[in-house]
Amino acid sequence: MQHHEVDIDSFTAGDTDRLTAGEVLAGYLHARAGDFLRALRMYGESGSDTAAAEAAARTLRGAARRIGGGLHTFRPLLDPAWADQLRTELGWLSGTLAQEHACTGRLHRLLGALARLSGATVTPAVASAATVASASAAAVASRTDGSPEGPPPGTLTVGASRAGALLDRQLTLARTRAHSAALQALGSSRFHAVADAVAVLASEVPLSPLAGAPAVEVLAGPSENTERQLLDAVAALPLARAAHPYNAEALVHGLATASEGEAQDAPWHHVRQLLRLHRYAQEVWSAGGAPDPTLLGAGQALDRHRDAAEAAAAAANAARTPRIAPATAYALGVLHADQRLEVEAARFAFQQVWQRAAATAP
Amino acid sequence: MQHHEVDIDSFTAGDTDRLTAGEVLAGYLHARAGDFLRALRMYGESGSDTAAAEAAARTLRGAARRIGGGLHTFRPLLDPAWADQLRTELGWLSGTLAQEHACTGRLHRLLGALARLSGATVTPAVASAATVASASAAAVASRTDGSPEGPPPGTLTVGASRAGALLDRQLTLARTRAHSAALQALGSSRFHAVADAVAVLASEVPLSPLAGAPAVEVLAGPSENTERQLLDAVAALPLARAAHPYNAEALVHGLATASEGEAQDAPWHHVRQLLRLHRYAQEVWSAGGAPDPTLLGAGQALDRHRDAAEAAAAAANAARTPRIAPATAYALGVLHADQRLEVEAARFAFQQVWQRAAATAP
């Protein structure tokens, strides 16, 4: 094993001409390990400040994902057994920490959609169960005041309110469980072992002999492998179909079994992960430069794809709750379809970003 | 009143230079009245041949709409009291005859959508309640045979099957009622009065003094009025929004009251009617020439808009049936949203046809 120290902030892309691959990679991993340790300290000091705790957890997850990505992409330049083991542990950590955030986001997304579907002018970001309930109450009130030729009794709007309350209960419970799991994980000996490994990584990186070669000679190969996997995975996506708006593809299994819907989404989720790996690999090269706007835009579209797919699944899942009223189930059906439409819209957006980049590529 | 006879098939656009407006208009109305009377005879002779009866009813409706359109657009060239009265009666007749056909189409559309949403490879045209039920039974069977890690119990696919059966019952009942109403209408003294008026129209048209002027001088004015109304109504549509795919506009009131959804659709339905009036007015001029492809394409998009909006309303209505299972209500919610998505897709299609025509206009 060789030990390397390099200040990531002090070199630019041009410097890679003079540095070894190990120096460039170690510089990146040192910096991310530093982010990880600072975020961990911030998290410990956040106390009852939930906003600070959330920000710290986000930085911690981002650093863990970037270190894991570096260990994956540049595995030939590293001690492979060490890299595989730490990467598995970082994956466990960032996955565990991501759950609480995901539950919060999913609840906001679903309550925002319910408000929108009920004709309330509430933006998803500020929607809450209370907003949906009061919008619904206002709708009922305006209906009672209305003319005798007015609409039929508003069971469906009552349904939206009940569906919101049901989702609020279920996702708040899931979030509480995820929060407990995250706290338990952060107090575990497994976590302390990860934190210790990252602390070591902040000063030394176990490199393979190949890492002694100049960066310009051996750093590109692993990056290009990741990029090739990404391009192959994108080529396998049904992009021609996604380019045609309103193809109704995402709802094809809207009433079929959950596993069929998931099978349809899987290739897109896979591309999302490869896109992220590719973006992280570019960070190693670009040393703090601006990220590629195509990768960012495509990644945002696929984040939205994932969020909408999971929200749609949560609505379908809530509809399986025993003894719910038909009006509640109806509202959950509309909500499920609405989120599957979002899935389709996200695929369209991804296709647009990707084709535009392909058209302007040199 | 003046009486005119002209053979519509014997003159082309160039002939309008030499003919009076009354001759051109009377020629068109004579021909459509002939269509009406032939279709009526075919309908009476169709007996138990439902395909022949349907074809005859379609021709009858088309002829009634065209005569009514001519009476509306070219009212200044006609005896106005007579034109208004006959137009009202023709509207009543074509509206009554259209109901049965609409119920059949709506049922096919909804059962086809349910099959598609259940992942069955059934085209809407051949879908039936039996197909949905058997596709669903096959899905349940394959699930029972599956591995223990398979999907959760298929309550939602059962829901699709039950929703299909419920819609089948409700829309078949509505169709039977519409059929009885049509038969009753065709046997009524009110209908015989319309048929008599059309029979007179086949040989003579009550024209106003203005109709004596050359066609080139006075036929354009009323046509242009209709076209101007159409262009104004299209200009008032939210086309910029419709041009942006996946704007989620059509679902904005997906869980609100029915009347709010209808208010949103009304301007599009209005344009659909004006488009048809404009197309019929062009027929008077073109004397059997090919219809304008833009008007045809735009009209087809708005027919689809109307059909999807009515199917979505039927699904929402079925969900208000007392004592239905939550799984049935959920499937109806997904189905409602799916058809509202079709509404949005139809607006997008209309916008595409219209903008393309505007871009290539001289």
Side-chain angles (χ1 to χ4, degrees), chain A residues 116-117 157 246 252 255 344, chain B residues 116-117 157 246 252 255 344:
Chain A
R116 173 169 48 77
L117 292 168
T157 305
Y246 300 109
V252 158
L255 288 172
E344 196 179 297
Chain B
R116 173 170 48 79
L117 292 168
T157 304
Y246 300 108
V252 157
L255 288 172
E344 196 178 297

Side-chain angles (χ1 to χ4, degrees), chain B residues 159-179:
Chain B
S161 164
R162 286 194 190 169
L166 176 62
L167 289 166
D168 197 9
R169 275 201 304 281
Q170 293 188 341
L171 288 171
T172 301
L173 179 63
R175 182 173 54 187
T176 305
R177 282 188 183 143
H179 184 69

Side-chain angles (χ1 to χ4, degrees), chain A residues 261-277:
Chain A
E262 283 162 19
Q264 185 196 65
D265 297 340
W268 300 87
H269 294 331
H270 184 53
V271 167
R272 180 179 160 273
Q273 289 170 324
L274 289 172
L275 256 179
R276 200 157 69 177
L277 273 180

Side-chain angles (χ1 to χ4, degrees), chain A residues 114 116-119 143 157 245-246 251-257 316 319 324 326 329-334 336-337 341 344-345 348, chain B residues 114 116-119 143 157 245-246 251-257 316 319-320 324 326 329-334 336-337 341 344-345 348:
Chain A
L114 275 175
R116 173 169 48 77
L117 292 168
S118 302
R143 203 170 305 121
T157 305
Y246 300 109
L251 252 179
V252 158
H253 297 287
L255 288 172
T257 61
I324 56 172
Y330 176 85
L332 290 168
V334 171
H336 171 78
L341 173 60
E344 196 179 297
F348 177 75
Chain B
L114 275 176
R116 173 170 48 79
L117 292 168
S118 302
R143 203 171 305 120
T157 304
Y246 300 108
L251 251 178
V252 157
H253 297 289
L255 288 172
T257 61
R320 292 189 198 97
I324 56 172
Y330 176 84
L332 290 168
V334 172
H336 171 78
L341 173 60
E344 196 178 297
F348 177 74

Side-chain angles (χ1 to χ4, degrees), chain A residues 163-180:
Chain A
L166 176 62
L167 289 166
D168 197 9
R169 275 200 305 281
Q170 293 188 341
L171 287 171
T172 302
L173 180 62
R175 182 173 55 187
T176 305
R177 282 189 183 143
H179 184 69
S180 303

